[in-house]
Amino acid sequence: MSASSEASNLNAPKDFSGILVKKHLIAFFIDTLLWSYTALVSWKVIYEKVILGLRYPKFDWSQPQTALLVGALIALVLYFTSASLGRAITGLLKRDESKPVMRETYTFLVLFVVFLTFVAGIRISQVSVTEFLSESGLHGAKRIFTALINPNWGIIEDATFAAIETIYMAFIATIVALPMAFVLAFFAARNLMSGSRLTMAIYTTVRFVLNVSRSIEPLVWAIIFSVWVGIGPFAGMLALCLHSVSSLSKLYSEQIENVSNGPIEAMMATGAHPVQVIWFGVVPQIVLPYLSFTIYRWDINVRMATVIGLVGGGGIGTMLMQYQGLAKWNEVGMLVIVIAVIVWLMDWLSSRIREAIK
Amino acid sequence: MILDIKKVNKVYPNGCRALNNVSFNVKKGEFLVIIGLSGSGKSTMLRCLNRLHDVTDGEIVFEGQDITKLKGKAMRNARARIGMIFQHFNLIPRKTVMTNVLSGTLSRTGVFKSILGVYSEEDKKKAQDYIKIVGLEGKENARADNLSGGQQQRVAIARALMQDPKVLLADEPVASLDPATSHSVMQYLKKVNEELGVTIICNLHFLSLVRQYASRVVALKGGQLIYEGNPLDIDENWFKTIYGEEAVEVTIN
């Protein structure tokens, strides 16, 4: 549109210098971070741990500060050379298009930092081939594997009952989470909430709470709830439920953000109430994806319920934990088989249902 | 006079000026066509008339009432008296023809009743009649998104008629249809205009359709009104003013 291009042309020169300064700051910040990281890792891990072989090198906070200072100095020195990654990323570095990216100086720099991280990573993870292939270790592994492939079929009844408990627990967690996620999703959908400042504030708050509760693992929630309501399936159910609410809300709200605007506009044009606009303009577009997500979530919850059982969330996970603690590997083998069968069944069932309702 | 548009301006939040001091009026019972290039402000103009967009300033007087300042229930009442059909039909996906047509009554059906799908017998009877009028008898329980483009647009017309509209806005109603279907849909609009006495304001691209169906024409260019008059008076010169020097008229039969 001619009017809009005119307007943007008028605004362009005014904003340009500001954007340029911001770009330089970001570029320098990236360079500083990169060099400080390189300095710190080379010094603390490569030099002290690998070369000097120190197990517990001394640490105090002046060391990262020194690294930051060194990094900033190197970044400053190299800022106007072609080794400045920050300028390359922000597009400030005018590069020769005919030269392949792989031959640029900053590419070598990036590869070097990745290599450095790799070396440091091996040292920190205490990777050891001798431990992996030691005689006593191999012997122990062989004993467990032999027991696992000779499962104790005598406990199949108990194992199945525990598995059923797990499936029901996951089902209830999903069903209880569903209506809560359904409602929350509307508040977490940007396109519905961008109307006024108040709704935007609600959107931001809901999103924040959901993100925080989702970033805490269900395992941690299970520990919290097992203290709260006592060890057992209920604690596991609550943990799964909470996590399901936040995950489903996010998936649902993304679905709402992707709906086509046409039916919404049409419903508004009929003079419908906002609730009717959502019910007739939005809901029919999201029902099937919702159903699909929910079934998939149940599937995930069954798998998670097993893990949660390990910390006392009830079901087959708790049973697994008990037998493992007693080193009864034949029983553990039986449980592993039951879990595998359930996970496989749920996976198959949920993909079949999701296929059918597409 | 049913609609009086007085010095309407519309500036989008991104600074784009879509309408620039546009004034014209719409007489009761006429078939008014708005023409202009893409981006000339036609769609924005229509959407300002039923408050899908808010004007930046100016007045839109509909049946003696300025509707630009209305809020809440009053605004929805004004919207209900103005039907609208769209280029991409905008039917509710996965729902039947009947449900789609009944959605035209939402403004007078309570929120809970409509969610439970309880509509008055009178409205159901009326929906049946309108489905018949647009030639879709027997398709009541077919899924709307399985119909052809022309049929979907007719469902949309029936839905708009359920509002008992005084004015029907049509935003490029035939732009995504083939020429034969285009004429059929335009014929239905003409029928609505002549037999039901609904005033129609329609955005169109094709001048041949304009000459055939419009009783009056206004032209927009860059958000400004540049022509108002009889469709048959648009000659070569006016055509080039509206569509630019390089434009060549394309006819559809």
Side-chain angles (χ1 to χ4, degrees):
Chain A
M1 233 168 264
S2 64
S4 72
S5 61
E6 263 175 45
S8 62
N9 279 341
L10 282 176
N11 288 335
K14 207 166 60 186
D15 291 335
F16 196 60
S17 59
I19 290 173
L20 204 64
V21 168
K22 204 173 150 195
K23 270 191 176 177
H24 274 293
L25 280 176
I26 292 171
F28 185 69
F29 181 67
I30 292 172
D31 279 1
T32 307
L33 272 187
L34 188 76
W35 283 111
S36 307
Y37 174 75
T38 310
L40 193 66
V41 171
S42 315
W43 175 21
K44 296 300 295 178
V45 184
I46 306 293
Y47 177 68
E48 290 192 339
K49 281 199 166 190
V50 179
I51 296 176
L52 294 184
L54 295 177
R55 198 163 257 268
Y56 300 106
K58 280 206 185 85
F59 176 81
D60 68 78
W61 282 102
S62 70
Q63 292 169 349
Q65 283 167 20
T66 316
L68 196 65
L69 199 69
V70 171
L73 275 176
I74 302 176
L76 194 66
V77 171
L78 295 179
Y79 189 70
F80 292 101
T81 71
S82 60
S84 168
L85 181 71
R87 281 172 64 218
I89 288 177
T90 50
L92 291 169
L93 191 68
K94 292 282 165 283
R95 67 180 219 93
D96 178 9
E97 295 290 338
S98 63
K99 197 176 169 188
V101 180
M102 288 311 289
R103 303 274 291 276
E104 295 284 358
T105 323
Y106 54 77
T107 313
F108 287 113
L109 185 62
V110 170
L111 288 178
F112 173 69
V113 173
V114 171
F115 174 72
L116 208 63
T117 309
F118 180 75
V119 173
I122 287 204
R123 181 68 188 78
I124 288 173
S125 325
Q126 303 180 353
V127 173
S128 160
V129 180
T130 47
E131 291 274 351
F132 192 70
L133 295 174
S134 76
E135 204 179 321
S136 66
L138 281 177
H139 187 72
K142 191 183 158 202
R143 191 162 43 84
I144 291 183
F145 276 121
T146 327
L148 286 179
I149 55 173
N150 289 303
N152 178 2
W153 290 91
I155 63 156
I156 191 158
E157 268 178 32
D158 289 346
T160 311
F161 287 139
I164 290 171
E165 191 177 291
T166 298
I167 293 177
Y168 272 75
M169 186 172 113
F171 180 71
I172 292 299
T174 316
I175 291 294
V176 173
L178 193 134
M180 291 193 257
F182 183 86
V183 173
L184 278 176
F186 290 105
F187 294 103
R190 199 184 186 92
N191 54 342
L192 297 182
M193 301 301 283
S194 59
S196 73
R197 204 167 279 184
L198 174 75
T199 54
M200 250 342 246
I202 297 174
Y203 163 84
T204 317
T205 320
V206 171
R207 272 273 153 135
F208 179 75
V209 172
L210 289 178
N211 282 338
V212 169
S213 66
R214 200 176 54 246
S215 59
I216 298 173
E217 280 288 310
L219 206 60
V220 178
W221 284 119
I223 294 169
I224 295 170
F225 282 121
S226 63
V227 174
W228 190 341
V229 300
I231 288 175
F234 184 46
M237 193 284 271
L238 283 175
L240 284 179
C241 185
L242 194 73
H243 200 254
S244 298
V245 169
S246 40
S247 304
L248 282 177
S249 303
K250 182 164 162 64
L251 287 173
Y252 289 176
S253 65
E254 275 167 10
Q255 203 59 41
I256 296 175
E257 284 170 2
N258 285 332
V259 300
S260 103
N261 202 29
I264 301 176
E265 217 178 16
M267 288 304 103
M268 281 166 75
T270 65
H273 186 271
V275 173
Q276 292 173 318
V277 172
I278 288 178
W279 185 258
F280 289 92
V282 181
V283 173
Q285 297 192 59
I286 55 177
V287 163
L288 284 193
Y290 269 35
L291 206 57
S292 168
F293 286 144
T294 312
I295 292 170
Y296 184 50
R297 189 69 220 175
W298 181 26
D299 179 16
I300 294 175
N301 277 348
V302 170
R303 269 177 276 166
M304 271 195 178
T306 315
V307 179
I308 277 177
L310 295 178
V311 296
I316 198 160
T318 305
M319 206 172 179
L320 184 72
M321 187 66 189
Q322 285 159 355
Y323 282 121
Q324 178 264 330
L326 298 168
K328 289 185 163 181
W329 298 111
N330 300 77
E331 282 74 9
V332 170
M334 186 67 243
L335 292 178
V336 169
I337 289 172
V338 172
I339 291 172
V341 168
I342 287 167
V343 168
W344 176 77
L345 263 180
M346 284 300 297
D347 196 48
W348 177 81
L349 192 70
S350 91
S351 71
R352 269 307 175 83
I353 298 176
R354 280 182 287 139
E355 194 70 31
I357 61 173
K358 225 174 225 170
Chain B
M1 192 162 63
I2 191 158
L3 263 168
D4 193 4
I5 291 102
K6 292 182 189 166
K7 292 187 179 165
V8 163
N9 286 285
K10 171 70 186 173
V11 182
Y12 283 107
N14 65 10
C16 168
R17 191 174 197 92
L19 294 175
N20 194 347
N21 239 358
V22 176
S23 299
F24 62 94
N25 51 49
V26 185
K27 291 173 195 69
K28 202 165 177 158
E30 74 175 334
F31 197 125
L32 178 74
V33 169
I34 306 179
I35 56 173
L37 287 171
S38 301
S40 61
K42 304 192 299 289
S43 288
T44 308
M45 187 69 247
L46 280 197
R47 280 168 173 72
C48 285
L49 296 182
N50 67 350
R51 294 288 305 275
L52 287 183
H53 290 339
D54 288 331
V55 300
T56 309
D57 65 47
E59 275 181 28
I60 295 173
V61 181
F62 172 52
E63 294 188 315
Q65 181 189 26
D66 178 16
I67 59 167
T68 56
K69 305 284 187 305
L70 296 181
K71 282 196 169 73
K73 183 84 189 149
M75 178 189 73
R76 298 202 295 274
N77 270 334
R79 272 182 184 163
R81 285 178 286 147
I82 304 174
M84 187 165 189
I85 63 172
F86 304 82
Q87 178 181 350
H88 299 293
F89 327 128
N90 295 354
L91 299 180
I92 308 171
R94 301 181 178 283
K95 296 286 179 189
T96 62
V97 169
M98 194 65 183
T99 311
N100 265 287
V101 173
L102 282 169
S103 70
T105 66
L106 287 182
S107 66
R108 58 175 180 269
T109 312
V111 172
F112 282 106
K113 276 190 175 171
S114 63
I115 286 176
L116 296 173
V118 181
Y119 296 93
S120 71
E121 284 305 316
E122 196 190 333
D123 280 340
K124 279 191 226 164
K125 170 84 178 48
K126 209 162 158 189
Q128 200 74 46
D129 291 345
Y130 282 131
I131 289 172
K132 201 168 163 186
I133 287 180
V134 297
L136 290 171
E137 209 176 5
K139 297 260 186 206
E140 291 85 352
N141 295 317
R143 249 175 71 165
D145 45 2
N146 286 342
L147 300 179
S148 72
Q151 290 174 327
Q152 290 197 36
Q153 194 61 293
R154 276 140 62 190
V155 175
I157 293 175
R159 170 174 71 187
L161 290 177
M162 286 303 284
Q163 295 171 226
D164 298 323
K166 299 287 176 284
V167 177
L168 179 64
L169 309 176
D171 185 23
E172 297 185 15
V174 297
S176 39
L177 299 175
D178 60 65
T181 321
S182 295
H183 271 293
S184 138
V185 166
M186 290 307 292
Q187 290 288 354
Y188 279 108
L189 285 181
K190 195 182 161 104
K191 196 168 149 188
V192 168
N193 178 240
E194 288 172 356
E195 290 175 19
L196 304 174
V198 177
T199 310
I200 292 187
I201 306 174
C202 180
N203 287 346
L204 279 180
H205 268 311
F206 286 103
L207 268 180
S208 53
L209 288 178
V210 177
R211 293 206 184 95
Q212 205 170 337
Y213 295 101
S215 60
R216 204 159 60 94
V217 171
V218 296
L220 289 175
K221 189 181 184 184
Q224 279 175 310
L225 190 88
I226 55 163
Y227 179 85
E228 188 173 355
N230 189 317
L232 300 174
D233 293 342
I234 301 181
D235 54 14
E236 185 81 355
N237 279 337
W238 267 113
F239 181 75
K240 291 219 186 292
T241 324
I242 298 165
Y243 286 99
E245 282 300 320
E246 272 109 80
V248 178
E249 193 181 335
V250 185
T251 49
I252 100 168
N253 296 307

